[in-house]
Amino acid sequence: MPEKGFQQNQTILETREITMRFGGLEALNALSFCIAPHQIVSVIGPNGAGKTTLLNAITGVYSPNSGEILFRGMPISGLKPFQITARGINRTFQQVQLFSNMTVLENVMVGMHPRTKSGFWDGLFHFASERREEKKIREKAETLLDSFGLLPKAYWMSAHVSIADQKRLEIARAMAGEPELLLLDEPVAGLNIRETEAMGDLIIKLKQTGQTIILVEHNMHLVMGISDWVIVLHHGAKIGEGRPEEMQKDSRVMEAYLGT
Ligand SMILES: Nc1ncnc2c1ncn2[C@@H]1O[C@H](COP(=O)(O)OP(=O)(O)O)[C@@H](O)[C@H]1O
Ligand SMILES: [Mg+2]
Protein backbone atom coordinates (compact mmCIF):
# COMPACT_ATOMS: atom_id res chain seq x y z
CA MET A 1 0.00 0.00 0.00
CA PRO A 2 1.21 3.52 -0.74
CA GLU A 3 2.56 5.35 2.29
CA LYS A 4 0.49 8.16 3.74
CA GLY A 5 0.86 11.23 1.58
CA PHE A 6 2.15 9.30 -1.41
CA GLN A 7 0.40 10.23 -4.66
CA GLN A 8 0.44 7.95 -7.68
CA ASN A 9 1.61 10.77 -9.97
CA GLN A 10 4.62 11.53 -7.77
CA THR A 11 8.10 10.13 -7.89
CA ILE A 12 8.28 6.44 -6.93
CA LEU A 13 12.08 6.33 -6.67
CA GLU A 14 14.55 9.13 -6.10
CA THR A 15 18.31 9.08 -5.75
CA ARG A 16 19.97 12.08 -4.11
CA GLU A 17 23.64 12.59 -4.88
CA ILE A 18 24.54 8.93 -4.40
CA THR A 19 28.23 8.13 -4.59
CA MET A 20 29.64 4.60 -4.59
CA ARG A 21 33.39 4.09 -4.43
CA PHE A 22 35.45 0.96 -5.01
CA GLY A 23 38.94 1.85 -3.82
CA GLY A 24 39.86 4.94 -5.83
CA LEU A 25 37.17 4.35 -8.44
CA GLU A 26 33.90 6.29 -8.29
CA ALA A 27 31.43 3.83 -9.81
CA LEU A 28 28.61 6.29 -9.02
CA ASN A 29 29.36 9.97 -8.74
CA ALA A 30 26.80 12.21 -6.96
CA LEU A 31 24.02 10.67 -9.02
CA SER A 32 20.55 12.24 -8.67
CA PHE A 33 17.38 11.42 -10.56
CA CYS A 34 13.66 10.78 -10.08
CA ILE A 35 11.55 7.97 -11.52
CA ALA A 36 7.84 8.45 -12.17
CA PRO A 37 5.52 5.49 -11.54
CA HIS A 38 4.06 3.30 -14.31
CA GLN A 39 6.82 4.14 -16.76
CA ILE A 40 9.66 2.32 -18.48
CA VAL A 41 12.79 4.26 -17.57
CA SER A 42 15.98 3.08 -19.25
CA VAL A 43 19.44 3.58 -17.82
CA ILE A 44 22.07 3.45 -20.56
CA GLY A 45 25.78 4.13 -20.83
CA PRO A 46 28.99 2.47 -22.02
CA ASN A 47 30.40 -0.61 -20.28
CA GLY A 48 31.63 0.30 -16.80
CA ALA A 49 29.37 3.39 -16.62
CA GLY A 50 27.92 2.21 -13.30
CA LYS A 51 24.55 0.81 -14.41
CA THR A 52 24.75 -2.49 -12.53
CA THR A 53 26.28 -0.71 -9.53
CA LEU A 54 23.21 1.56 -9.52
CA LEU A 55 20.86 -1.45 -9.44
CA ASN A 56 22.99 -2.97 -6.66
CA ALA A 57 22.75 0.26 -4.67
CA ILE A 58 18.96 0.46 -5.12
CA THR A 59 18.49 -3.18 -4.03
CA GLY A 60 20.78 -2.97 -0.99
CA VAL A 61 23.56 -5.21 -2.35
CA TYR A 62 25.80 -2.17 -1.89
CA SER A 63 25.34 0.66 0.57
CA PRO A 64 26.34 3.98 -1.08
CA ASN A 65 29.24 5.88 0.51
CA SER A 66 27.10 9.00 0.53
CA GLY A 67 23.75 10.23 -0.68
CA GLU A 68 20.27 8.86 -0.21
CA ILE A 69 17.82 6.63 -2.04
CA LEU A 70 14.11 7.21 -1.41
CA PHE A 71 11.42 4.71 -2.38
CA ARG A 72 7.89 6.14 -2.18
CA GLY A 73 9.38 8.96 -0.13
CA MET A 74 11.01 6.65 2.45
CA PRO A 75 14.80 6.30 2.75
CA ILE A 76 15.96 2.79 1.85
CA SER A 77 19.74 3.26 1.68
CA GLY A 78 21.42 1.00 4.23
CA LEU A 79 18.60 -1.55 4.32
CA LYS A 80 19.38 -5.21 3.59
CA PRO A 81 18.33 -6.70 0.22
CA PHE A 82 15.51 -8.79 1.78
CA GLN A 83 14.13 -5.68 3.50
CA ILE A 84 14.12 -3.79 0.20
CA THR A 85 12.41 -6.72 -1.54
CA ALA A 86 9.78 -6.69 1.21
CA ARG A 87 9.18 -2.98 0.53
CA GLY A 88 8.38 -3.74 -3.11
CA ILE A 89 11.52 -3.66 -5.27
CA ASN A 90 12.57 -6.79 -7.20
CA ARG A 91 15.16 -7.32 -9.88
CA THR A 92 16.78 -9.57 -12.44
CA PHE A 93 20.53 -9.99 -12.93
CA GLN A 94 22.90 -9.31 -15.82
CA GLN A 95 24.06 -12.94 -15.45
CA VAL A 96 20.89 -14.98 -14.89
CA GLN A 97 20.69 -16.20 -11.27
CA LEU A 98 18.14 -19.00 -11.14
CA PHE A 99 18.06 -22.05 -8.89
CA SER A 100 19.37 -24.45 -11.53
CA ASN A 101 18.56 -27.56 -9.46
CA MET A 102 14.88 -26.56 -9.31
CA THR A 103 12.13 -26.70 -11.90
CA VAL A 104 10.80 -23.65 -13.71
CA LEU A 105 7.68 -23.77 -11.51
CA GLU A 106 9.68 -24.07 -8.27
CA ASN A 107 11.77 -21.03 -9.20
CA VAL A 108 8.60 -18.94 -9.40
CA MET A 109 7.21 -20.45 -6.19
CA VAL A 110 10.41 -19.46 -4.38
CA GLY A 111 9.78 -15.86 -5.51
CA MET A 112 6.39 -15.96 -3.74
CA HIS A 113 7.36 -17.37 -0.36
CA PRO A 114 8.26 -14.11 1.44
CA ARG A 115 4.60 -13.02 1.21
CA THR A 116 3.05 -16.23 2.57
CA LYS A 117 1.70 -16.42 6.11
CA SER A 118 2.79 -19.80 7.50
CA GLY A 119 5.37 -19.33 10.20
CA PHE A 120 8.12 -21.43 11.74
CA TRP A 121 5.86 -23.81 13.71
CA ASP A 122 3.61 -24.44 10.72
CA GLY A 123 6.66 -25.37 8.68
CA LEU A 124 7.95 -27.67 11.41
CA PHE A 125 4.79 -29.72 11.69
CA HIS A 126 3.63 -29.23 8.11
CA PHE A 127 0.12 -28.33 9.21
CA ALA A 128 -2.79 -28.60 6.82
CA SER A 129 -2.89 -24.80 6.63
CA GLU A 130 0.54 -24.82 5.07
CA ARG A 131 -0.41 -27.49 2.57
CA ARG A 132 -3.41 -25.40 1.55
CA GLU A 133 -1.14 -22.40 1.20
CA GLU A 134 1.32 -24.45 -0.87
CA LYS A 135 -1.52 -25.34 -3.24
CA LYS A 136 -2.49 -21.68 -3.57
CA ILE A 137 1.13 -20.72 -4.26
CA ARG A 138 1.42 -23.44 -6.90
CA GLU A 139 -1.75 -22.28 -8.67
CA LYS A 140 -0.62 -18.67 -8.60
CA ALA A 141 2.80 -19.64 -9.96
CA GLU A 142 1.14 -21.59 -12.79
CA THR A 143 -0.99 -18.58 -13.70
CA LEU A 144 2.09 -16.38 -13.77
CA LEU A 145 4.04 -18.89 -15.88
CA ASP A 146 1.11 -19.05 -18.28
CA SER A 147 1.18 -15.28 -18.80
CA PHE A 148 4.92 -15.53 -19.51
CA GLY A 149 4.40 -18.36 -22.02
CA LEU A 150 6.34 -20.77 -19.80
CA LEU A 151 3.59 -23.07 -18.53
CA PRO A 152 4.43 -25.90 -20.99
CA LYS A 153 7.92 -25.99 -19.43
CA ALA A 154 6.77 -25.75 -15.79
CA TYR A 155 8.34 -29.09 -14.87
CA TRP A 156 11.59 -28.66 -16.79
CA MET A 157 14.73 -28.08 -14.77
CA SER A 158 15.45 -24.36 -15.11
CA ALA A 159 19.00 -25.08 -16.34
CA HIS A 160 17.55 -27.01 -19.29
CA VAL A 161 15.44 -24.24 -20.87
CA SER A 162 16.89 -21.76 -23.40
CA ILE A 163 18.64 -18.56 -22.33
CA ALA A 164 15.63 -16.59 -23.60
CA ASP A 165 13.32 -18.71 -21.41
CA GLN A 166 15.69 -18.35 -18.43
CA LYS A 167 15.60 -14.56 -18.85
CA ARG A 168 11.77 -14.63 -18.99
CA LEU A 169 11.67 -16.97 -15.99
CA GLU A 170 13.86 -14.63 -13.97
CA ILE A 171 11.39 -11.81 -14.65
CA ALA A 172 8.49 -14.11 -13.74
CA ARG A 173 10.21 -14.95 -10.45
CA ALA A 174 10.77 -11.25 -9.74
CA MET A 175 7.09 -10.54 -10.54
CA ALA A 176 6.01 -13.37 -8.21
CA GLY A 177 6.92 -11.07 -5.31
CA GLU A 178 4.42 -8.49 -6.70
CA PRO A 179 6.96 -5.66 -6.74
CA GLU A 180 5.97 -2.05 -7.28
CA LEU A 181 9.31 -1.41 -8.93
CA LEU A 182 10.96 -3.94 -11.23
CA LEU A 183 14.64 -3.59 -12.17
CA LEU A 184 15.89 -5.40 -15.28
CA ASP A 185 19.64 -5.71 -15.91
CA GLU A 186 20.25 -6.35 -19.63
CA PRO A 187 17.21 -8.58 -20.26
CA VAL A 188 18.02 -9.13 -23.96
CA ALA A 189 21.79 -9.69 -23.73
CA GLY A 190 22.54 -12.91 -25.59
CA LEU A 191 19.11 -13.13 -27.24
CA ASN A 192 18.48 -13.23 -30.99
CA ILE A 193 16.35 -10.68 -32.85
CA ARG A 194 13.12 -12.65 -32.56
CA GLU A 195 13.66 -13.35 -28.84
CA THR A 196 14.58 -9.69 -28.30
CA GLU A 197 11.32 -8.55 -29.92
CA ALA A 198 9.34 -10.98 -27.76
CA MET A 199 11.10 -9.64 -24.65
CA GLY A 200 10.27 -6.06 -25.71
CA ASP A 201 6.60 -7.07 -26.07
CA LEU A 202 6.70 -8.68 -22.62
CA ILE A 203 8.16 -5.55 -20.99
CA ILE A 204 5.52 -3.38 -22.67
CA LYS A 205 2.83 -5.79 -21.46
CA LEU A 206 4.14 -5.45 -17.89
CA LYS A 207 4.00 -1.67 -18.18
CA GLN A 208 0.41 -1.89 -19.43
CA THR A 209 -0.52 -3.65 -16.18
CA GLY A 210 0.78 -0.59 -14.30
CA GLN A 211 4.27 -1.90 -13.52
CA THR A 212 7.08 0.61 -13.01
CA ILE A 213 10.26 -0.61 -14.69
CA ILE A 214 13.89 0.48 -14.67
CA LEU A 215 15.57 -1.07 -17.69
CA VAL A 216 19.35 -1.30 -17.99
CA GLU A 217 20.09 -2.27 -21.58
CA HIS A 218 22.67 -1.94 -24.36
CA ASN A 219 20.31 -2.69 -27.20
CA MET A 220 19.52 0.85 -28.40
CA HIS A 221 16.80 -0.31 -30.78
CA LEU A 222 14.92 -1.78 -27.82
CA VAL A 223 15.66 1.14 -25.48
CA MET A 224 14.58 3.77 -27.97
CA GLY A 225 11.53 1.71 -28.97
CA ILE A 226 9.93 1.08 -25.57
CA SER A 227 11.23 3.67 -23.06
CA ASP A 228 9.25 6.63 -21.72
CA TRP A 229 12.41 8.20 -20.33
CA VAL A 230 16.14 7.61 -20.72
CA ILE A 231 18.91 8.37 -18.22
CA VAL A 232 22.47 8.33 -19.56
CA LEU A 233 25.42 7.46 -17.32
CA HIS A 234 29.10 7.93 -18.07
CA HIS A 235 31.83 7.21 -15.50
CA GLY A 236 29.17 7.02 -12.79
CA ALA A 237 27.72 10.46 -13.49
CA LYS A 238 24.51 11.42 -15.25
CA ILE A 239 25.36 13.14 -18.53
CA GLY A 240 21.82 13.49 -19.79
CA GLU A 241 18.21 12.46 -19.36
CA GLY A 242 15.10 12.93 -21.41
CA ARG A 243 12.74 11.36 -23.88
CA PRO A 244 14.33 8.69 -26.09
CA GLU A 245 14.17 10.85 -29.22
CA GLU A 246 15.93 13.71 -27.36
CA MET A 247 18.69 11.46 -26.02
CA GLN A 248 19.28 9.96 -29.45
CA LYS A 249 20.41 13.33 -30.80
CA ASP A 250 22.13 14.61 -27.64
CA SER A 251 25.77 15.44 -28.41
CA ARG A 252 27.11 14.40 -24.95
CA VAL A 253 25.40 11.05 -25.29
CA MET A 254 26.80 10.52 -28.80
CA GLU A 255 30.29 11.39 -27.53
CA ALA A 256 30.07 8.94 -24.62
CA TYR A 257 29.12 6.16 -27.01
CA LEU A 258 31.60 7.04 -29.73
CA GLY A 259 34.37 7.54 -27.16
CA THR A 260 35.43 10.94 -28.48
N1 LIG B 1 32.31 -5.02 -6.46
C1 LIG B 1 33.13 -4.23 -7.15
N2 LIG B 1 34.42 -4.03 -6.77
C2 LIG B 1 35.24 -3.22 -7.47
N3 LIG B 1 34.87 -2.55 -8.57
C3 LIG B 1 33.61 -2.70 -9.01
C4 LIG B 1 32.67 -3.54 -8.33
N4 LIG B 1 31.49 -3.51 -9.00
C5 LIG B 1 31.69 -2.67 -10.04
N5 LIG B 1 32.95 -2.20 -10.06
C6 LIG B 1 33.51 -1.24 -11.02
O1 LIG B 1 32.62 -0.15 -11.10
C7 LIG B 1 32.52 0.31 -12.44
C8 LIG B 1 31.08 0.23 -12.88
O2 LIG B 1 30.72 -1.12 -13.06
P1 LIG B 1 29.27 -1.58 -13.44
O3 LIG B 1 28.30 -0.93 -12.56
O4 LIG B 1 29.25 -3.07 -13.48
O5 LIG B 1 29.12 -1.00 -14.94
P2 LIG B 1 28.04 -1.27 -16.06
O6 LIG B 1 26.99 -2.15 -15.50
O7 LIG B 1 27.55 0.07 -16.47
O8 LIG B 1 28.79 -1.93 -17.19
C9 LIG B 1 33.44 -0.55 -13.27
O9 LIG B 1 34.68 0.13 -13.41
C10 LIG B 1 33.58 -1.80 -12.43
O10 LIG B 1 34.83 -2.43 -12.67
MG1 LIG C 1 26.29 -4.04 -15.99
Side-chain angles (χ1 to χ4, degrees):
M1 286 305 283
E3 300 293 334
K4 214 170 142 195
F6 177 78
Q7 303 284 307
Q8 281 304 303
N9 59 355
Q10 281 179 339
T11 294
I12 186 164
L13 184 90
E14 178 179 0
T15 70
R16 290 188 186 156
E17 305 257 316
I18 53 168
T19 293
M20 184 73 226
R21 284 186 211 97
F22 298 111
L25 177 90
E26 285 204 330
L28 298 175
N29 182 359
L31 181 61
S32 300
F33 61 79
C34 292
I35 303 271
H38 316 302
Q39 302 232 308
I40 298 173
V41 178
S42 285
V43 176
I44 66 170
N47 269 325
K51 305 180 298 294
T52 297
T53 301
L54 172 64
L55 298 194
N56 283 333
I58 294 171
T59 53
V61 175
Y62 298 148
S63 186
N65 294 91
S66 58
E68 195 151 43
I69 303 174
L70 303 170
F71 179 56
R72 298 194 276 109
M74 310 276 282
I76 56 166
S77 3
L79 295 182
K80 300 265 179 291
F82 76 90
Q83 295 172 312
I84 290 176
T85 302
R87 275 169 174 69
I89 303 180
N90 268 1
R91 71 177 295 183
T92 65
F93 296 87
Q94 194 169 342
Q95 311 288 335
V96 172
Q97 291 187 18
L98 292 167
F99 298 103
S100 56
N101 57 342
M102 290 185 185
T103 64
V104 166
L105 180 68
E106 284 164 348
N107 266 277
V108 172
M109 288 171 69
V110 165
M112 280 170 183
H113 271 285
R115 299 257 168 142
T116 63
K117 286 195 285 303
S118 286
F120 172 74
W121 294 105
D122 292 337
L124 200 58
F125 295 108
H126 209 71
F127 280 158
S129 69
E130 202 206 317
R131 257 177 269 136
R132 272 198 305 275
E133 208 165 89
E134 190 90 3
K135 185 164 175 281
K136 267 197 297 188
I137 290 171
R138 179 174 298 269
E139 286 167 358
K140 226 174 131 192
E142 285 170 349
T143 305
L144 194 59
L145 282 179
D146 197 18
S147 69
F148 278 71
L150 287 169
L151 194 54
K153 292 174 184 160
Y155 293 97
W156 289 39
M157 295 304 280
S158 69
H160 295 166
V161 301
S162 69
I163 292 294
D165 282 343
Q166 290 184 19
K167 292 254 185 192
R168 291 173 88 83
L169 173 56
E170 215 188 22
I171 300 176
R173 184 181 61 184
M175 289 302 296
E178 299 177 8
E180 283 182 55
L181 176 61
L182 176 68
L183 314 177
L184 303 176
D185 200 351
E186 302 205 17
V188 303
L191 305 195
N192 67 33
I193 293 175
R194 191 181 49 79
E195 292 164 340
T196 298
E197 262 174 29
M199 182 61 85
D201 291 344
L202 174 68
I203 296 169
I204 290 171
K205 205 170 103 186
L206 288 173
K207 180 197 156 177
Q208 285 166 347
T209 68
Q211 188 63 47
T212 308
I213 298 164
I214 298 183
L215 172 66
V216 165
E217 194 31 75
H218 273 299
N219 184 313
M220 283 307 116
H221 186 71
L222 180 72
V223 165
M224 297 306 168
I226 71 173
S227 308
D228 298 292
W229 196 252
V230 178
I231 296 171
V232 190
L233 298 189
H234 192 32
H235 297 312
K238 184 176 76 183
I239 59 168
E241 68 176 311
R243 298 195 171 282
E245 57 276 15
E246 292 164 356
M247 287 302 98
Q248 251 171 327
K249 37 182 208 235
D250 187 292
S251 58
R252 290 161 305 173
V253 175
M254 306 279 279
E255 272 171 34
Y257 273 95
L258 297 173
T260 47

